[in-house]
Amino acid sequence: MGRLEKMEGRKVSNSGNATILALGKAFPHQLVMQEFLVDGYFKNTNCDDPELKQRLTRLCKTTTVKTRYVVMSEEILKKYPELTVEGLPTVKQRLDICNAAVTEMAIEASQSCIKKWGRPISDITHVVYVSSSEARLPGGDLYLAKGLGLSPQTKRVMLYFAGCSGGVAGLRVAKDIAENNPGSRVLLATSETTIIGFKPPSVDRPYDLVGVALFGDGAGAMIIGSNPIRDIERPLFELHTAIQHFLPDTEKIIDGRLTEEGISFKLERELPQIIEDNIEDFCDKLISISGINDKEYNKLFWAVHPGGPAILNRLEKRLELSPDKLSASRRALANFGNASSNTIVYVLEYMLEEKKDMKKGDSDWGLILAFGPGITFEGILTKNLTI
């Protein structure tokens, strides 16, 4: 375990472990209120099926989402009316929209993050770019670097189609880069839009309605580096240990295919149960490294990607967590929906807001968790340096 020092009211890591030095986020301009989503969606897709409309209404209530930001707009639908027509090959149109949108949001989130970081943009040495919403050569990592004005010598890594675990996977990769390249500063950017999978409602695809009720758009960014510079950088979290684990023979549980009609997703009903059945062993592997008793879950903080309320409820039940432990995840879900790889950034921001409400005896150790296709578990043992 690394040695920690106190400086200006916060702990400063000098262990060589990577730290999160700043967070940033960005969203498209369209804000969707959940209570108006159903009528708007069925109007925009020219569908009047009362049974499907009733089903989506129920789903919108159970997801606990209240607001979301989306790239989709009336202007886009007027320009591309074929997006609302079943069976038409529209992947080219979708990618034209998505490629531009995710780049714009990633640049905006990164600029916000860099401003909070406080060092010149020229000090960024590496970029890790994450998205499941685009496909092109060169990739979004290059367009992000170009849009920010980064040096052509900036080293880039791109993670595509990692889904909901992409943000934590990117953080794991950024941690490895920072710790193995002394003096490096890594920009991690995530950017997602649901336009890549937008479809009209269909009785043949009832599971599509879950995505309509749950997913949102946006971007997130972090600066990661080891050995923060005193009086300049203010580290937020120390990233101690990162692990990844996939569950054999579960690759069809979260199934996504890029087709001529865009991305088609299918989530099996047993996903929350599978996560519940495997989460305890996975967490115990991380927790044991910290020296905390395996079962003292309620002393930790929990930054969990909110894939949906069922996943959070199952995790809370299995680990016997007090309700406040997942409040940051539930707030992110309510305010932004499941924004795929971005959402963990929003959860971490809420974690920092809620630090003042920590109970006496709570540890400054916690877990950053996400679950994605595979089924893949991503986890990072981390320490809050702002307490």
Side-chain angles (χ1 to χ4, degrees), residues 50-341:
E51 185 177 339
L52 287 175
K53 193 171 185 179
Q54 188 178 43
R55 183 177 297 177
L56 181 57
T57 300
R58 290 196 301 268
L59 285 169
C60 283
K61 293 178 180 177
T62 59
T63 59
T64 70
V65 176
K66 295 180 181 178
T67 56
R68 279 176 288 172
Y69 293 87
V70 296
V71 172
M72 182 59 81
S73 65
E74 291 185 2
E75 290 75 21
I76 289 175
L77 289 175
K78 287 178 181 177
K79 186 176 181 180
Y80 302 99
E82 60 270 30
L83 297 180
T84 66
V85 181
E86 186 73 27
L88 290 185
T90 54
V91 67
K92 180 184 183 301
Q93 296 93 316
R94 294 171 189 276
L95 289 175
D96 285 346
I97 301 166
C98 293
N99 291 344
V102 294
T103 298
E104 181 180 349
M105 292 188 293
I107 290 172
E108 185 179 341
S110 298
Q111 289 172 335
S112 171
C113 184
I114 293 166
K115 184 177 180 180
K116 295 176 185 176
W117 175 41
R119 288 180 60 181
I121 196 169
S122 57
D123 289 351
I124 293 173
T125 59
H126 298 74
V127 168
V128 177
Y129 176 74
V130 180
S131 183
S132 297
S133 305
E134 63 158 272
R136 53 182 161 171
L137 287 173
D141 59 321
L142 182 88
Y143 291 102
L144 172 62
K146 180 180 177 181
L148 290 172
L150 297 180
S151 164
Q153 299 180 44
T154 305
K155 302 171 185 67
R156 311 185 318 274
V157 174
M158 190 167 55
L159 300 180
Y160 269 5
F161 296 107
C164 290
S165 60
V168 182
L171 188 55
R172 170 173 52 80
V173 172
K175 165 182 162 59
D176 287 347
I177 292 172
E179 292 174 354
N180 287 282
N181 294 270
S184 62
R185 289 298 179 263
V186 185
L187 170 64
L188 167 63
T190 66
S191 194
E192 309 284 5
T193 173
T194 51
I195 283 183
I196 192 70
F198 179 88
K199 290 181 178 64
S202 170
V203 292
D204 297 325
R205 299 189 314 275
Y207 39 83
D208 279 5
L209 296 179
V210 176
V212 174
L214 183 64
F215 290 102
D217 300 354
M222 307 186 203
I223 298 290
I224 296 97
S226 299
N227 301 314
I229 299 176
R230 295 187 178 191
D231 302 322
I232 298 176
E233 296 175 315
R234 299 177 63 82
L236 307 174
F237 297 95
E238 179 183 320
L239 306 175
H240 190 276
T241 302
I243 64 173
Q244 182 194 65
H245 179 77
F246 76 90
L247 304 177
D249 302 319
T250 63
E251 58 268 21
K252 297 297 183 183
I253 301 299
I254 305 173
D255 189 51
R257 307 291 175 92
L258 185 60
T259 72
E260 291 182 347
E261 298 175 59
I263 286 184
S264 295
F265 278 112
K266 187 175 182 180
L267 306 177
E268 297 293 347
R269 289 179 177 272
E270 57 264 41
L271 175 61
Q273 184 64 56
I274 292 172
I275 291 175
E276 179 184 349
D277 291 342
N278 292 274
I279 189 62
E280 192 166 4
D281 286 345
F282 183 78
C283 291
D284 285 349
K285 289 178 183 178
L286 277 171
I287 294 171
S288 63
I289 300 167
S290 71
I292 296 173
N293 184 290
D294 283 356
K295 304 304 175 184
E296 293 181 321
Y297 300 132
N298 279 299
K299 288 188 176 180
L300 304 172
F301 66 84
W302 295 79
V304 181
H305 169 81
I311 291 174
L312 295 179
N313 293 342
R314 294 294 188 102
L315 190 148
E316 183 177 280
K317 174 187 172 185
R318 172 54 68 99
L319 302 179
E320 298 181 350
L321 299 179
S322 59
D324 61 298
K325 288 298 175 179
L326 297 180
S327 62
S329 297
R330 296 190 189 278
R331 285 177 67 192
L333 181 63
N335 294 333
F336 309 115
N338 178 346
S340 193
S341 64

